[in-house]
Amino acid sequence: MSKPSILVIGTGYVGLTCAACFANQGFKVTGLDIDEDKVQLLSSGTSPIFEPGLDELLTAGLESGLLEFTTSADAASTADVVFLCLPTPPLPTGTPDISILRGAVMQHREALKSGAAVVTKSTVPLGTSKDVAAWLDRDDVHLVSNPEFLREGSAIHDFLNPDRVVVGSLNHDAALVVQSLYDGLPGERILCDPLSAELIKYAANAFLATKLSFVNELARICDEVGGDVDAVTYGIGTDHRIADSFLTPGPGWGGSCFPKDVAGLAALARSSRLRVPVIESAVESNRDHFDHVITQIRKHVGKSLQGANVAMWGIAFKAGTDDTRSSPALDIAERLTAEQCDVRAADPVAKVDGNLFTQMDMYDACTDADLLVIATEWDEFRDADLAQVADRLSQPTILDLRGIISPEAAAEHGLTVHSLGRP
Ligand code: UGA
């Protein structure tokens, strides 16, 4: 039997990764987008986003002829499986806006081939699969929810090495077709109903965000009463029920997914008149954590923030990506500049336009700075030339929010390293 042909509607971060990875797995894939410039760029083998390994897969896919990009809606009529990878930006209430998704479904619904599976892939609000089925209004086209669990910065690795593949559908045959797309890949297969599949995605992100809020609270407790958060997280992470990943304190969680998904889940609960204090307080705790970080910066600058100079390493919300959406680094910079503190920032790939800070080379940013704050765990920062840092700073102090600099190594250059929850 020939392999199902795939259409991916929306070539953003999720759509592009899926398209390139499915082509890598030998499927014929078309990526459809309304943005002509982007389609041209992609067709020439250039990725508009920074994602390790993506350029290589893109080039290989285009060269093999398995991957192509188009703006033409005709592509919808030949695909066996149609992935919807469209944005659902949050409305002011926190509820995701599904109008773009609806527009795309309405545009393509009549053209879809009989028997096609339409798959929601990027994160959609709970119940969207039911909405999509209603918008499609086609008995011969089957809806499947197949949420993605890709982390920015390791999306290709995550796609090709899933912990699990979740397939939610009311149509068993359509579910099996979608499941078969992952046949060459490891991981557990979970077949369920579409709503449960949607909720698995929200629950995973909300649980991980809650875990991080908890860990950051432990770091704050250690900052106040003593103790070493690394020893504590190691101590609890060895309990297999807790598990040892996602236990590293940081500047607070951010990115394009956690804040949006946790807010989305809380908003959904509120609209159903449900109290979900655990989920709500994960968000509140993260906000408190940003306050704690500013308090620590103030303490280590050692004088008024007004007129102080702070060097900030890292702008992206984490290492391995150029994504600055809901980046804790930007939140910190905004709070510092609001107090007339001068911020100079450096990042290996992320860029931010505007006046929030001056962006420069990582060592130049340290020149005459009262404090170096490390906000993102890039290897470039981990492997920094500490002698140069010590030469440039006006006060030999680093606030390492990611715990990536060895205090002993830094001490050899006369630098003092403070980090969250560590003595
Ligand atoms: C997250 C999920 O991890 C993915 O499974 C999911 O598919 C994705 O959202 C999504 O919904 O699309 P991502 O936003 O790329 O992935 O980032 P993570 O690596 O999960 O990090 C989220 C935040 O937690 C970042 O701010 C990161 O710096 C922070 N973090 C993570 C910590 O502070 N400590 C840790 O130990 C881990």
Side-chain angles (χ1 to χ4, degrees), residues 120 162 174-175 181 200 227 285 318 356 396 401:
T120 51
L181 303 179
I200 287 171
S285 172
K318 62 172 187 175
L356 190 55
L401 298 171

Side-chain angles (χ1 to χ4, degrees), residues 1 4 27 80-81 115 117 167 172-182:
M1 212 174 82
F27 293 96
D80 298 308
V81 182
V167 181
H172 192 61
D173 292 340
L176 292 183
V177 170
V178 172
Q179 184 181 268
S180 75
L181 303 179
Y182 298 88

Side-chain angles (χ1 to χ4, degrees), residues 42 170 185 246 285 291 358 397 402 405:
L42 288 169
L170 299 178
L185 304 177
F246 259 67
S285 172
D291 295 341
T358 319
T397 317
R402 297 289 186 169
I405 302 284

Side-chain angles (χ1 to χ4, degrees), residues 13-14 123 148-152 201 205 208 212 216 246-258 261 317-318 328 377 402:
Y13 166 72
V14 173
T123 309
E148 56 85 17
F149 300 99
L150 312 173
R151 287 165 302 171
E152 293 186 27
K201 172 58 199 267
N205 276 1
L208 291 170
L212 289 177
N216 285 332
F246 259 67
L247 283 181
T248 311
W253 43 267
S256 61
C257 307
F258 280 9
D261 291 355
F317 81 97
K318 62 172 187 175
E377 71 281 27
R402 297 289 186 169

Side-chain angles (χ1 to χ4, degrees), residues 319-400:
T321 178
D322 59 352
D323 196 342
T324 60
R325 284 175 290 175
S326 295
S327 170
L330 296 190
D331 189 281
I332 296 167
E334 266 165 30
R335 290 177 189 222
L336 293 178
T337 48
E339 298 202 35
Q340 271 96 52
C341 175
D342 184 32
V343 179
R344 277 164 292 159
D347 193 287
V349 294
K351 301 248 173 314
V352 171
D353 296 329
N355 302 325
L356 190 55
F357 42 62
T358 319
Q359 206 171 323
M360 55 180 74
D361 166 78
M362 60 191 264
Y363 297 109
D364 291 342
C366 293
T367 305
D368 296 331
D370 299 300
L371 179 70
L372 165 61
V373 176
I374 302 180
T376 309
E377 71 281 27
W378 285 103
D379 283 344
E380 284 83 345
F381 304 152
R382 203 186 297 272
D383 304 332
D385 175 355
L386 296 172
Q388 241 201 99
V389 173
D391 276 353
R392 305 262 188 139
L393 289 175
S394 71
Q395 302 189 123
T397 317
I398 299 175
L399 177 59
D400 178 7

